[in-house]
Amino acid sequence: MRSLRTGSALASLVTGLALLGTAPAAHAADTPLRDLADAKGKVIGTAVTGSKLTGTYGDIAGGQFNALTPGNAMKWGSVEPVRGTFDWAEADRIVDFAEAHGQQVRGHTLVWHSQNPNWLTNGNWTPAQLRQLMTDHIATEVGRYKGRVATWDVVNEPFNEDGTYRQTLWYNGLGTDYIAQALTAARAADPSAKLYINDYNVEGINAKSTALYNLVRSLKERGVPIDGVGLQAHLILGQVPSTLQQNIQRFADLGLDVAITELDIRMRTPSDSARLAQQAAEYRQVVNACVAVSRCHGVTVWGFTDSDSWIPETFPGEGAATPYDENYAPKPAYYAIAEALGGTTTPPTGACTATYSVVNQWNTGFTGQVRIACEGASLSSWRVNWSYGAGQRISQAWNADCTQSGTAVRCAHASYNGTVPDGGSVTFGFNASWSGSNPVPTVTLDREI
Ligand code: XIL
């Protein structure tokens, strides 16, 4: 865990970092998002792709989030592409990873109109056959992960925008009662899992969210097992509904949990700093709304990095929707989430920043550099600290005096380069070893004041 010594005689000047990049953010979070969320009793989750859970992607997924949702791996089309032939490899990998990292899993999703296998979609089923297929599927999948998946999105996207039921395979074959049947089957398969209905465009108070509200109220009245509602929150920059918190609260008042299950905030690409700042404010607004309602279970982002987001291919010309950029550098939205979860980020004191980058990497070693640059401020001495999370070890440094103790690295200015003038910069370099992965650490820059 990283922490900044804010109360000492040192002012901490902090940067966000990009691998091979030089764009520092204004400030860095002191504590991983998952620790902040844990302290508030909330979930901060991310959707993930199982095959990517190594290297920097795996380090961030495991280090920053306390819950994972398989982005696609648990959908019917993924797990049973051919009738009776199951492929659990990616789903298993995600559940194993989550357990190894002390994370909850949100199972997504059991009964949906999309991403179903062709054999199911193209079949000519009687209502009795369809019902059996649905309940068998639920028994198989929920049963497989019994005790390991905390929460299921049992039914996904049952409504049209006007609040009428969506005409799907399930609705057309079984009527509205498919929803109660699915929930009942899920409860039977894992009595301790929390069961949700999940939809999009139900974040604010509108016809669709009111239809969902009326449905879950009546399910509860009938004694059908329902624990919560998922608000997907695939939002557009500038369009966070003003009634979000009020809407969360009305579901909570029914005695249900609420989760923000698929948050992203998309914009026209390329992004620019003004839009990223607005996006940060809107992420903050969404997380704040969840933090404000005790029955709001938490917030899951639909992919944590712009390099693993569904937006660019689904909404051509739009993107930049997640809290990390394509090179895994945290964006302003990341810091906004941290602050909304109660984290303190250290505002920049003056405008000196340190930027860490890997300039060359081979199979066992790499050359790194840190550039300290000042704009509107200056330094007469400096020290840069970071912590290596993946076993990297520095063997040699130049233009700084570096020591490593365990994972902690400290590099102090040499006799000749403590001064960084306003508008100037100083760079030092080092060689180090790595194996497995070589994630970019968060660096703190200290100066005497
Ligand atoms: C998306 C995935 O992220 C994409 O990779 C896939 O191609 C399509 O589905 N609502 C949902 C999610 O409930 O399952 C969808 O996920 C996004 C919209």
Side-chain angles (χ1 to χ4, degrees):
M1 207 207 296
R2 296 173 294 280
S3 67
L4 302 175
R5 286 155 301 136
T6 45
S8 73
L10 295 167
S12 294
L13 308 171
V14 185
T15 68
L17 300 154
L19 184 67
L20 300 171
T22 53
H27 50 216
D30 295 1
T31 309
L33 300 182
R34 61 178 293 169
D35 295 358
L36 299 170
D38 285 346
K40 287 206 172 295
K42 297 285 179 186
V43 157
I44 182 76
T46 181
V48 289
T49 302
S51 59
K52 297 185 180 174
L53 286 170
T54 58
T56 306
Y57 183 98
D59 291 337
I60 297 173
Q64 292 287 337
F65 299 93
N66 60 12
L68 300 183
T69 303
N72 289 300
M74 287 185 170
K75 292 170 182 172
W76 200 330
S78 300
V79 301
E80 195 184 6
V82 174
R83 192 173 183 188
T85 302
F86 294 90
D87 180 357
W88 302 107
E90 192 192 345
D92 284 354
R93 182 170 183 169
I94 294 168
V95 175
D96 289 345
F97 182 97
E99 285 177 351
H101 291 82
Q103 298 169 303
Q104 287 188 21
V105 178
R106 184 174 193 95
H108 176 83
T109 179
L110 298 167
V111 181
W112 192 25
H113 62 272
S114 185
Q115 294 183 276
N116 286 321
N118 288 337
W119 64 264
L120 176 66
T121 314
N122 299 337
N124 209 346
W125 314 107
T126 66
Q129 288 171 324
L130 199 56
R131 180 178 172 167
Q132 194 69 47
L133 283 163
M134 183 184 79
T135 52
D136 285 352
H137 169 66
I138 292 169
T140 302
E141 182 153 357
V142 177
R144 179 180 180 86
Y145 296 109
K146 185 176 179 191
R148 302 179 73 200
V149 167
T151 309
W152 280 100
D153 289 329
V154 178
V155 175
N156 201 31
E157 303 180 348
F159 289 110
N160 295 316
E161 298 306 292
D162 65 0
T164 57
Y165 281 96
R166 191 191 281 266
Q167 309 277 305
T168 69
L169 173 68
W170 309 111
Y171 179 81
N172 294 339
L174 303 174
T176 56
D177 221 37
Y178 83 89
I179 295 173
Q181 291 164 9
L183 289 161
T184 303
R187 178 68 93 230
D190 185 352
S192 59
K194 298 288 185 199
L195 307 181
Y196 277 61
I197 300 172
N198 191 51
D199 214 326
Y200 64 90
N201 288 350
V202 292
E203 294 75 29
I205 294 183
N206 57 36
K208 192 175 186 179
S209 67
T210 299
L212 178 60
Y213 178 86
N214 290 333
L215 169 64
V216 293
R217 187 176 57 186
S218 102
L219 291 171
K220 267 195 89 89
E221 280 166 9
R222 289 165 54 197
V224 175
I226 174 77
D227 298 301
V229 294
L231 316 181
Q232 291 185 7
H234 293 294
L235 301 174
I236 298 169
L237 192 71
Q239 297 183 28
V240 179
S242 59
T243 50
L244 174 62
Q245 187 179 323
Q246 197 188 337
N247 190 41
I248 294 172
Q249 188 66 56
R250 72 170 171 160
F251 285 104
D253 291 344
L254 287 178
L256 289 165
D257 295 335
V258 180
I260 308 286
T261 53
E262 305 183 15
L263 177 61
D264 49 24
I265 303 180
R266 62 188 187 262
M267 62 183 74
R268 302 295 304 174
T269 48
S271 63
D272 60 35
S273 57
R275 276 179 286 166
L276 292 175
Q278 185 183 348
Q279 182 188 51
E282 294 181 358
Y283 265 93
R284 185 192 309 269
Q285 195 182 333
V286 173
V287 177
N288 278 344
C290 184
V291 167
V293 180
S294 60
R295 287 204 80 131
C296 187
H297 188 238
V299 176
T300 290
V301 294
W302 203 246
F304 62 85
T305 161
D306 292 338
S307 68
D308 185 46
S309 167
W310 72 308
I311 296 296
E313 70 186 45
T314 312
F315 303 95
E318 298 180 72
T322 78
Y324 285 81
D325 75 11
E326 295 185 348
N327 297 313
Y328 302 119
K331 292 157 57 179
Y334 169 86
Y335 301 105
I337 295 170
E339 288 174 3
L341 290 172
T344 50
T345 58
T346 309
T349 316
C352 297
T353 56
T355 305
Y356 175 112
S357 54
V358 174
V359 295
N360 186 21
Q361 181 170 301
W362 56 98
N363 52 354
T364 56
F366 67 100
T367 300
Q369 76 172 29
V370 175
R371 179 170 181 268
I372 298 154
C374 293
E375 203 58 66
S378 64
L379 295 171
S380 56
S381 70
W382 49 262
R383 193 169 69 210
V384 177
N385 300 321
W386 66 87
S387 172
Y388 272 140
Q392 300 99 321
R393 280 214 77 81
I394 291 196
S395 53
Q396 181 197 10
W398 49 94
N399 296 335
D401 180 15
C402 293
T403 55
Q404 181 168 359
S405 165
T407 59
V409 178
R410 283 169 142 224
C411 295
H413 63 86
S415 59
Y416 51 86
N417 65 359
T419 299
V420 185
D422 185 355
S425 69
V426 162
T427 299
F428 68 89
F430 54 88
N431 286 329
S433 62
W434 70 287
S435 68
S437 69
N438 186 20
V440 173
T442 299
V443 173
T444 64
L445 169 63
D446 297 329
R447 64 166 166 176
E448 285 163 349
I449 52 173

